[in-house]
Tab-separated table of all heavy atoms in Angstrom:
chain	number	residue	atom	x	y	z
A	3	ILE	N	5.900	195.290	127.955
A	3	ILE	CA	4.926	196.415	128.092
A	3	ILE	C	4.712	197.095	126.719
A	3	ILE	O	3.555	197.306	126.382
A	3	ILE	CB	5.412	197.398	129.143
A	3	ILE	CG1	5.349	196.825	130.518
A	3	ILE	CG2	4.600	198.708	129.106
A	3	ILE	CD1	5.946	197.662	131.660
A	4	ALA	N	5.793	197.333	125.997
A	4	ALA	CA	5.660	198.002	124.698
A	4	ALA	C	4.908	197.188	123.695
A	4	ALA	O	3.975	197.638	123.021
A	4	ALA	CB	7.021	198.414	124.174
A	5	LEU	N	5.317	195.905	123.586
A	5	LEU	CA	4.695	195.029	122.633
A	5	LEU	C	3.250	194.698	122.979
A	5	LEU	O	2.330	194.684	122.150
A	5	LEU	CB	5.542	193.734	122.433
A	5	LEU	CG	5.150	192.788	121.313
A	5	LEU	CD1	5.219	193.545	119.985
A	5	LEU	CD2	6.051	191.602	121.323
A	6	GLY	N	3.069	194.466	124.282
A	6	GLY	CA	1.679	194.229	124.760
A	6	GLY	C	0.754	195.388	124.512
A	6	GLY	O	-0.412	195.161	123.986
A	7	SER	N	1.192	196.585	124.801
A	7	SER	CA	0.350	197.773	124.580
A	7	SER	C	0.112	197.989	123.071
A	7	SER	O	-0.951	198.365	122.672
A	7	SER	CB	0.951	198.998	125.238
A	7	SER	OG	2.168	199.345	124.689
A	8	LEU	N	1.102	197.695	122.243
A	8	LEU	CA	0.940	197.839	120.813
A	8	LEU	C	-0.155	196.820	120.329
A	8	LEU	O	-1.024	197.267	119.558
A	8	LEU	CB	2.247	197.519	120.059
A	8	LEU	CG	2.151	197.544	118.549
A	8	LEU	CD1	2.016	198.952	118.059
A	8	LEU	CD2	3.340	196.823	117.909
A	9	LEU	N	-0.095	195.638	120.808
A	9	LEU	CA	-1.111	194.627	120.391
A	9	LEU	C	-2.488	194.982	120.893
A	9	LEU	O	-3.509	194.795	120.169
A	9	LEU	CB	-0.715	193.243	120.823
A	9	LEU	CG	0.535	192.680	120.139
A	9	LEU	CD1	0.937	191.313	120.764
A	9	LEU	CD2	0.388	192.537	118.664
A	10	ILE	N	-2.550	195.514	122.121
A	10	ILE	CA	-3.890	195.916	122.665
A	10	ILE	C	-4.449	197.074	121.823
A	10	ILE	O	-5.619	197.051	121.461
A	10	ILE	CB	-3.733	196.334	124.149
A	10	ILE	CG1	-3.388	195.067	124.984
A	10	ILE	CG2	-5.014	196.983	124.656
A	10	ILE	CD1	-2.878	195.471	126.372
A	11	VAL	N	-3.629	198.061	121.627
A	11	VAL	CA	-4.091	199.280	120.927
A	11	VAL	C	-4.424	199.007	119.442
A	11	VAL	O	-5.395	199.545	118.911
A	11	VAL	CB	-3.042	200.364	121.053
A	11	VAL	CG1	-3.337	201.570	120.149
A	11	VAL	CG2	-2.925	200.858	122.460
A	12	CYS	N	-3.639	198.224	118.769
A	12	CYS	CA	-3.774	198.041	117.342
A	12	CYS	C	-4.520	196.732	116.924
A	12	CYS	O	-4.350	196.285	115.781
A	12	CYS	CB	-2.416	198.061	116.704
A	12	CYS	SG	-1.574	199.618	116.927
A	13	SER	N	-5.303	196.184	117.787
A	13	SER	CA	-6.118	194.999	117.399
A	13	SER	C	-7.538	195.410	117.161
A	13	SER	O	-8.129	196.286	117.783
A	13	SER	CB	-6.123	193.975	118.545
A	13	SER	OG	-4.818	193.474	118.746
A	14	LYS	N	-8.141	194.792	116.126
A	14	LYS	CA	-9.534	195.082	115.777
A	14	LYS	C	-10.452	194.612	116.869
A	14	LYS	O	-10.157	193.708	117.611
A	14	LYS	CB	-9.903	194.310	114.499
A	14	LYS	CG	-9.319	194.828	113.217
A	14	LYS	CD	-9.804	193.990	112.049
A	14	LYS	CE	-9.162	194.492	110.817
A	14	LYS	NZ	-9.564	193.656	109.642
A	15	GLU	N	-11.570	195.303	116.978
A	15	GLU	CA	-12.652	194.851	117.817
A	15	GLU	C	-13.365	193.670	117.125
A	15	GLU	O	-13.219	193.491	115.897
A	15	GLU	CB	-13.691	195.947	118.065
A	15	GLU	CG	-13.094	197.120	118.831
A	15	GLU	CD	-12.720	196.704	120.274
A	15	GLU	OE1	-13.617	196.209	120.991
A	15	GLU	OE2	-11.592	196.922	120.663
A	16	LYS	N	-14.144	192.869	117.863
A	16	LYS	CA	-14.839	191.734	117.228
A	16	LYS	C	-15.800	192.245	116.167
A	16	LYS	O	-15.958	191.607	115.135
A	16	LYS	CB	-15.544	190.933	118.260
A	16	LYS	CG	-14.602	190.128	119.186
A	16	LYS	CD	-15.313	189.308	120.173
A	16	LYS	CE	-14.249	188.606	121.053
A	16	LYS	NZ	-14.867	187.866	122.151
A	17	SER	N	-16.384	193.392	116.408
A	17	SER	CA	-17.291	194.005	115.409
A	17	SER	C	-16.745	195.353	115.057
A	17	SER	O	-17.197	196.361	115.651
A	17	SER	CB	-18.716	194.067	115.924
A	17	SER	OG	-18.741	194.796	117.114
A	18	GLU	N	-15.833	195.406	114.160
A	18	GLU	CA	-15.206	196.658	113.748
A	18	GLU	C	-16.014	197.285	112.618
A	18	GLU	O	-16.100	196.746	111.528
A	18	GLU	CB	-13.750	196.402	113.301
A	18	GLU	CG	-12.927	197.623	113.005
A	18	GLU	CD	-12.247	198.148	114.244
A	18	GLU	OE1	-12.132	197.504	115.262
A	18	GLU	OE2	-11.900	199.351	114.192
A	19	ASP	N	-16.605	198.463	112.845
A	19	ASP	CA	-17.373	199.130	111.858
A	19	ASP	C	-16.947	200.579	111.791
A	19	ASP	O	-15.937	201.018	112.436
A	19	ASP	CB	-18.887	198.991	112.127
A	19	ASP	CG	-19.261	199.558	113.480
A	19	ASP	OD1	-18.419	200.082	114.211
A	19	ASP	OD2	-20.431	199.458	113.829
A	20	GLU	N	-17.640	201.427	111.027
A	20	GLU	CA	-17.270	202.775	110.868
A	20	GLU	C	-17.369	203.601	112.182
A	20	GLU	O	-16.525	204.430	112.451
A	20	GLU	CB	-18.191	203.519	109.796
A	20	GLU	CG	-17.933	202.997	108.393
A	20	GLU	CD	-16.513	203.315	107.939
A	20	GLU	OE1	-15.951	204.428	108.248
A	20	GLU	OE2	-15.907	202.415	107.297
A	21	MET	N	-18.358	203.271	113.021
A	21	MET	CA	-18.460	203.992	114.281
A	21	MET	C	-17.304	203.620	115.202
A	21	MET	O	-16.786	204.472	115.936
A	21	MET	CB	-19.814	203.582	114.975
A	21	MET	CG	-20.114	204.422	116.169
A	21	MET	SD	-20.200	206.166	115.673
A	21	MET	CE	-20.311	206.955	117.222
A	22	THR	N	-16.900	202.367	115.216
A	22	THR	CA	-15.736	201.954	116.022
A	22	THR	C	-14.482	202.690	115.555
A	22	THR	O	-13.654	203.101	116.351
A	22	THR	CB	-15.535	200.425	115.916
A	22	THR	OG1	-16.736	199.756	116.275
A	22	THR	CG2	-14.426	199.982	116.848
A	23	ARG	N	-14.351	202.824	114.257
A	23	ARG	CA	-13.197	203.555	113.684
A	23	ARG	C	-13.217	205.017	114.111
A	23	ARG	O	-12.179	205.595	114.407
A	23	ARG	CB	-13.120	203.395	112.188
A	23	ARG	CG	-12.775	202.022	111.735
A	23	ARG	CD	-12.650	201.965	110.247
A	23	ARG	NE	-12.513	200.531	109.902
A	23	ARG	CZ	-12.983	199.991	108.741
A	23	ARG	NH1	-13.592	200.762	107.892
A	23	ARG	NH2	-12.823	198.768	108.504
A	24	ALA	N	-14.411	205.596	114.081
A	24	ALA	CA	-14.555	207.020	114.469
A	24	ALA	C	-14.204	207.139	115.973
A	24	ALA	O	-13.520	208.092	116.373
A	24	ALA	CB	-15.933	207.493	114.214
A	25	ILE	N	-14.699	206.225	116.807
A	25	ILE	CA	-14.388	206.232	118.220
A	25	ILE	C	-12.904	206.080	118.468
A	25	ILE	O	-12.223	206.720	119.294
A	25	ILE	CB	-15.160	205.220	118.970
A	25	ILE	CG1	-16.637	205.609	119.009
A	25	ILE	CG2	-14.711	205.057	120.439
A	25	ILE	CD1	-17.595	204.541	119.504
A	26	ARG	N	-12.295	205.129	117.721
A	26	ARG	CA	-10.827	204.893	117.771
A	26	ARG	C	-10.019	206.113	117.467
A	26	ARG	O	-9.090	206.501	118.170
A	26	ARG	CB	-10.446	203.755	116.821
A	26	ARG	CG	-9.058	203.214	116.908
A	26	ARG	CD	-8.812	202.163	115.930
A	26	ARG	NE	-9.583	200.949	116.091
A	26	ARG	CZ	-9.339	199.974	116.986
A	26	ARG	NH1	-8.298	200.093	117.751
A	26	ARG	NH2	-10.136	198.940	117.080
A	27	LEU	N	-10.431	206.861	116.429
A	27	LEU	CA	-9.680	208.071	116.039
A	27	LEU	C	-9.895	209.160	117.062
A	27	LEU	O	-8.935	209.866	117.419
A	27	LEU	CB	-10.186	208.517	114.646
A	27	LEU	CG	-9.492	209.724	114.088
A	27	LEU	CD1	-7.993	209.488	113.895
A	27	LEU	CD2	-10.108	210.101	112.747
A	28	SER	N	-11.093	209.315	117.569
A	28	SER	CA	-11.358	210.355	118.568
A	28	SER	C	-10.556	210.021	119.843
A	28	SER	O	-10.015	210.942	120.489
A	28	SER	CB	-12.894	210.335	118.864
A	28	SER	OG	-13.146	211.161	119.966
A	29	ALA	N	-10.537	208.749	120.284
A	29	ALA	CA	-9.778	208.338	121.421
A	29	ALA	C	-8.294	208.597	121.237
A	29	ALA	O	-7.612	209.065	122.203
A	29	ALA	CB	-10.008	206.884	121.763
A	30	LEU	N	-7.777	208.373	120.086
A	30	LEU	CA	-6.358	208.616	119.769
A	30	LEU	C	-6.042	210.113	119.908
A	30	LEU	O	-5.063	210.437	120.522
A	30	LEU	CB	-6.054	208.133	118.387
A	30	LEU	CG	-4.596	208.212	117.952
A	30	LEU	CD1	-3.738	207.308	118.797
A	30	LEU	CD2	-4.425	207.839	116.510
A	31	LEU	N	-6.910	210.966	119.361
A	31	LEU	CA	-6.687	212.374	119.447
A	31	LEU	C	-6.798	212.839	120.914
A	31	LEU	O	-5.964	213.597	121.377
A	31	LEU	CB	-7.694	213.132	118.572
A	31	LEU	CG	-7.518	214.604	118.449
A	31	LEU	CD1	-6.182	214.894	117.827
A	31	LEU	CD2	-8.620	215.158	117.568
A	32	ASN	N	-7.835	212.401	121.634
A	32	ASN	CA	-7.956	212.783	123.049
A	32	ASN	C	-6.796	212.294	123.918
A	32	ASN	O	-6.318	213.000	124.790
A	32	ASN	CB	-9.314	212.309	123.593
A	32	ASN	CG	-10.468	213.056	123.007
A	32	ASN	OD1	-10.333	214.197	122.637
A	32	ASN	ND2	-11.619	212.381	122.942
A	33	ALA	N	-6.339	211.103	123.618
A	33	ALA	CA	-5.149	210.545	124.341
A	33	ALA	C	-3.927	211.389	124.096
A	33	ALA	O	-3.133	211.647	125.012
A	33	ALA	CB	-4.912	209.078	123.983
């Protein structure tokens, strides 16, 4: 569970751009 969730959370999207990074950071803060 721990390793799987780490890989899910910390893997790039197929199209990782600045907007994806901003959404990622916002989701991290909201979580």
Side-chain angles (χ1 to χ4, degrees):
I3 291 173
L5 190 57
S7 63
L8 176 75
L9 293 175
I10 293 166
V11 168
C12 297
S13 295
K14 288 181 183 177
E15 294 294 306
K16 289 181 183 175
S17 59
E18 187 84 20
D19 58 4
E20 290 299 320
M21 190 60 188
T22 306
R23 289 184 190 147
I25 293 171
R26 188 180 296 279
L27 184 60
S28 173
L30 185 65
L31 188 59
N32 288 333

